[in-house]
Amino acid sequence: MSHMELTTINKKIEQTRTEISNLSSCSDDNMRAIMTLQLETRLTALLQEKESMEAATAKDTVTLRIYGENVQRGKISSRALLSALNGFQSMLDSVANAMIHSPTSRGRIPDRIKDLTAFEVVGTFAGSFGIVLEKPTEQPGFASNDAELNKILSEMFTVLETVDDSERLLSVITPFGKRTVTHYREWLDGLQDSGVNLELDWRNDSAASRRMHLIKEKAPDIISTLDTIDKINNEDITLSGVLNGINIRSRSFEMSVEGYGLVKGHALPETLMGALEKIGKEISANMVKSVSFTKAGIQKVSWHLSSIN
């Protein structure tokens, strides 16, 4: 929807509301009732038209800004550009595959998942070199698809934002399987080889927004953590117990479960928000139990809360 179209329909809506308000001065009760009905019908139609127009052009936007001493303003090597784009798409695909299909180490990602995560390059910008990616949600069932994509992007950004805490990084990335670990490492390797940094900024028409940086100086420590993972086993499991607490800021929770003791893990902010009223109560929770094995033979268990029954 263009700015002119939005201005036009908003003007019609305001004019109609003004006309309805002005009807209070009409002394003829019958005429006032007839005119009110007509104007309210018009207002309802205009509001529905605006909602449909906004929905038809809803989109997620991700900007990738590549910067550093090896990047000139408005100019970049094809190798660095491909590394940034391929890394983003591969990481997004692998997280989506783990969430919708199953965490895997190899094999073909289903077309349905690739369609869901298929962004289009719609422009570039300077500073030092930026790429604008968009994912329109105008296809049938866009509302459902958009919500699904938002969850995937949110989970991916949670992994990417975890740069200074190796224990938390292992906890948040293992539920997405070895494929995600491999693609994240390859992405960091590519950025390191090109000597560039990357800023990712995601926003959508629902006012969701996340921004983070992949800094090349931090890449070695992240890679070192990822390299400790030998294999990951994931299992869907339902646990019943008392929800002890929730921390929205750290996206974490704690449950007391008979036979397991304290179960601590992470979840999407919206999942945790929906569970706030259940703190201190018995709940049935759908979890992903991730058991990672390091090359030194150390086993680590991580929990991801998918939903509450």
Side-chain angles (χ1 to χ4, degrees):
M1 175 170 49
S2 70
H3 177 72
M4 183 176 295
E5 289 173 320
L6 178 62
T7 300
T8 299
I9 197 165
N10 280 336
K11 186 175 181 180
K12 289 180 180 179
I13 289 171
E14 290 308 311
Q15 287 176 338
T16 304
R17 284 174 171 158
T18 299
E19 290 180 44
I20 292 173
S21 178
N22 291 340
L23 282 175
S24 60
S25 62
C26 179
S27 58
D28 189 322
D29 291 344
N30 290 331
M31 179 61 69
R32 185 170 65 251
I34 293 172
M35 292 297 296
T36 299
L37 178 60
Q38 291 178 341
L39 289 170
E40 287 180 344
T41 300
R42 185 208 298 174
L43 179 61
T44 299
L46 287 170
L47 290 172
Q48 289 175 344
E49 182 182 357
K50 179 184 177 182
E51 183 178 351
S52 297
M53 292 169 70
E54 288 177 334
T57 57
K59 62 182 179 294
D60 282 271
T61 302
V62 174
T63 58
L64 282 71
R65 185 174 72 89
I66 308 167
Y67 65 99
E69 60 270 19
N70 291 340
V71 184
Q72 300 179 39
R73 184 176 177 84
K75 183 187 295 186
I76 191 171
S77 75
S78 58
R79 193 179 303 278
L81 177 59
L82 288 173
S83 178
L85 284 173
N86 286 339
F88 168 78
Q89 193 65 63
S90 296
M91 184 79 171
L92 186 63
D93 289 346
S94 58
V95 171
N97 185 62
M99 292 178 65
I100 298 172
H101 185 233
S102 63
T104 56
S105 58
R106 61 179 63 87
R108 185 174 179 274
I109 292 179
D111 290 339
R112 186 254 184 191
I113 293 174
K114 290 193 288 187
D115 289 342
L116 178 64
T117 59
F119 277 77
E120 298 174 339
V121 177
V122 298
T124 60
F125 60 93
S128 297
F129 190 92
I131 311 151
V132 183
L133 307 176
E134 284 185 0
K135 171 67 177 179
T137 55
E138 58 192 7
Q139 64 269 31
F142 71 87
S144 173
N145 286 339
D146 190 43
E148 209 162 34
L149 179 61
N150 286 344
K151 289 181 180 179
I152 294 164
L153 283 164
S154 181
E155 291 285 21
M156 187 179 90
F157 267 76
T158 295
V159 172
L160 299 179
E161 288 164 352
T162 309
V163 294
D164 295 317
D165 186 336
S166 59
E167 286 296 314
R168 176 167 163 76
L169 175 58
L170 290 173
S171 178
V172 297
I173 199 171
T174 49
F176 304 118
K178 195 64 186 294
R179 185 201 297 262
T180 302
V181 173
T182 300
H183 283 154
Y184 188 21
R185 193 197 191 288
E186 290 174 349
W187 194 8
L188 292 169
D189 275 338
L191 295 175
Q192 259 195 310
D193 291 344
S194 300
V196 299
N197 306 304
L198 184 64
E199 177 189 80
L200 287 89
D201 190 348
W202 161 49
R203 67 193 68 175
N204 65 21
D205 292 341
S206 300
S209 180
R210 300 278 282 276
R211 177 182 291 179
M212 58 78 55
H213 293 257
L214 289 177
I215 308 296
K216 64 179 184 295
E217 285 80 11
K218 292 183 177 291
D221 288 339
I222 299 173
I223 290 172
S224 178
T225 298
L226 298 177
D227 281 348
T228 65
I229 302 172
D230 184 38
K231 67 175 181 176
I232 302 170
N233 293 332
N234 288 313
E235 175 189 5
D236 292 326
I237 186 171
T238 300
L239 297 180
S240 295
V242 177
L243 181 62
N244 298 327
I246 284 171
N247 189 318
I248 303 296
R249 190 185 191 94
S250 64
R251 303 184 180 93
S252 60
F253 70 92
E254 178 184 292
M255 281 181 64
S256 292
V257 181
E258 187 174 351
Y260 287 86
L262 284 180
V263 172
K264 301 178 181 181
H266 297 88
L268 285 171
E270 53 265 37
T271 302
L272 297 175
M273 289 290 290
L276 284 173
E277 62 183 20
K278 299 183 184 296
I279 293 176
K281 299 178 181 178
E282 183 90 12
I283 64 169
S284 175
N286 298 317
M287 304 270 199
V288 177
K289 179 183 179 183
S290 299
V291 183
S292 61
F293 301 86
T294 71
K295 293 175 181 177
I298 299 173
Q299 177 179 312
K300 177 178 174 57
V301 178
S302 302
W303 298 92
H304 179 83
L305 174 62
S306 304
S307 62
I308 294 177
N309 298 320

